[in-house]
Amino acid sequence: MFLSYDEFCARADAIQREIETACAAVGRDPVEVELLAVTKNHPATAVDYAARYGLHCVGENRVQEGVEKRGQTKANVRWELIGHLQSNKARLAAEHFDRIQTADSSKLLTRLDRAAAELNKVLPVLLQINAGRDPAKSGAEVEEAPQLLADALTKPHLRIDGLMTIAPLSDDPLVAKRTFTALRDLRDRLADQTGAPLRVLSMGMSGDFVAAIAAGSTIIRVGTALFGARESSAQ
């Protein structure tokens, strides 16, 4: 049974307090950190809860699930794709999502740019970088990032907002810390080299967002801590 709205609010309040504490510890303003509610494998009610609480964006891992869920709610939120995107689904993703956080190849960037042109829109994207060098994670390698950004900046129908990463699963908190620091440092180098602001750093999830905030994250992607265990792992 899905949690009640009151339960959700209690969870969201607790996370907001954690965000404030994490920001205070490193001298950041909490308004710099956006809480993205990950609604994957949860009902459309989760999106309604997020909007009612005042959150501005939700994240979905799978294109089709996001498309279906968006059709089930009238919630006024930004829909972000945070899962791996196959090139053959670029058109569908560009049509139904407000930002793609997982652009990780020149081929995918080309497909997204073409789709956005057909839709007569400029599509915001983040470049996904495998900053933790985890073979189990998607994302361009750190060494590939300069060329990927160079390619991205030539796409007239894409807006490159920043970078995204997922830390490797590890019991050692230093692994996440190193991953997030690596992404921030990469962003700083790329911004200096290209003049692109790359203001957005999407990094940190339910188990490691405090470390991500310390490293400069501007978006944390939280699902389990907001909604509890997911209903299903079905595709």
Side-chain angles (χ1 to χ4, degrees):
M1 186 175 182
F2 196 55
L3 80 173
S4 69
Y5 180 66
D6 286 344
E7 290 173 309
F8 169 79
C9 287
R11 287 170 173 265
D13 287 347
I15 293 167
Q16 296 286 10
R17 288 192 295 269
E18 286 190 72
I19 292 172
E20 292 169 4
T21 299
C23 286
V26 293
R28 295 186 64 192
D29 187 335
V31 301
E32 298 173 0
V33 180
E34 184 164 26
L35 174 58
L36 182 151
V38 178
T39 50
K40 154 185 144 177
N41 287 337
H42 292 302
T45 303
V47 182
D48 295 332
Y49 283 3
R52 183 177 169 190
Y53 183 80
L55 301 182
H56 301 298
C57 54
V58 297
E60 285 287 332
N61 282 55
R62 302 181 184 94
V63 175
Q64 194 60 47
E65 182 180 349
V67 171
E68 292 172 1
K69 204 170 293 179
R70 190 165 191 172
Q72 296 167 356
T73 175
K74 298 187 185 308
N76 182 22
V77 292
R78 189 172 70 247
W79 291 77
E80 307 220 11
L81 184 68
I82 60 173
H84 179 67
L85 177 60
Q86 297 173 329
S87 295
N88 63 358
K89 294 184 179 177
R91 178 64 166 74
L92 190 62
E95 182 177 359
H96 291 279
F97 284 86
D98 300 301
R99 181 159 60 189
I100 309 298
Q101 291 205 13
T102 51
D104 61 359
S105 71
S106 293
K107 177 182 178 182
L108 180 56
L109 288 167
T110 298
R111 293 281 183 90
L112 288 171
D113 182 62
R114 184 183 307 149
E118 292 171 357
L119 294 162
N120 195 29
K121 68 192 285 187
V122 174
L123 179 67
V125 303
L126 302 182
L127 303 182
Q128 183 176 2
I129 308 298
N130 188 5
R133 301 184 184 277
D134 182 353
K137 295 289 189 293
S138 298
E141 297 303 319
V142 172
E143 293 78 12
E144 299 169 346
Q147 186 59 55
L148 185 64
L149 176 60
D151 291 346
L153 292 173
T154 68
K155 309 302 183 190
H157 293 277
L158 300 182
R159 188 186 79 202
I160 315 306
D161 288 345
L163 308 179
M164 178 266 211
T165 199
I166 303 170
L169 285 175
S170 175
D171 293 329
D172 182 358
L174 291 178
V175 172
K177 180 180 179 181
R178 285 194 295 265
T179 299
F180 301 144
T181 301
L183 191 75
R184 181 200 63 208
D185 291 348
L186 175 65
R187 186 278 307 274
D188 292 347
R189 290 197 303 273
L190 293 176
D192 286 344
Q193 291 166 6
T194 66
L198 304 176
R199 294 187 180 90
V200 177
L201 284 178
S202 175
M203 54 189 194
M205 301 190 293
S206 291
D208 57 21
F209 69 77
V210 171
I213 289 171
S217 178
T218 64
I219 296 178
I220 59 171
R221 310 178 302 271
V222 178
T224 303
L226 276 175
F227 301 110
R230 294 187 173 96
E231 286 191 341
S232 166
S233 59
Q235 296 293 321

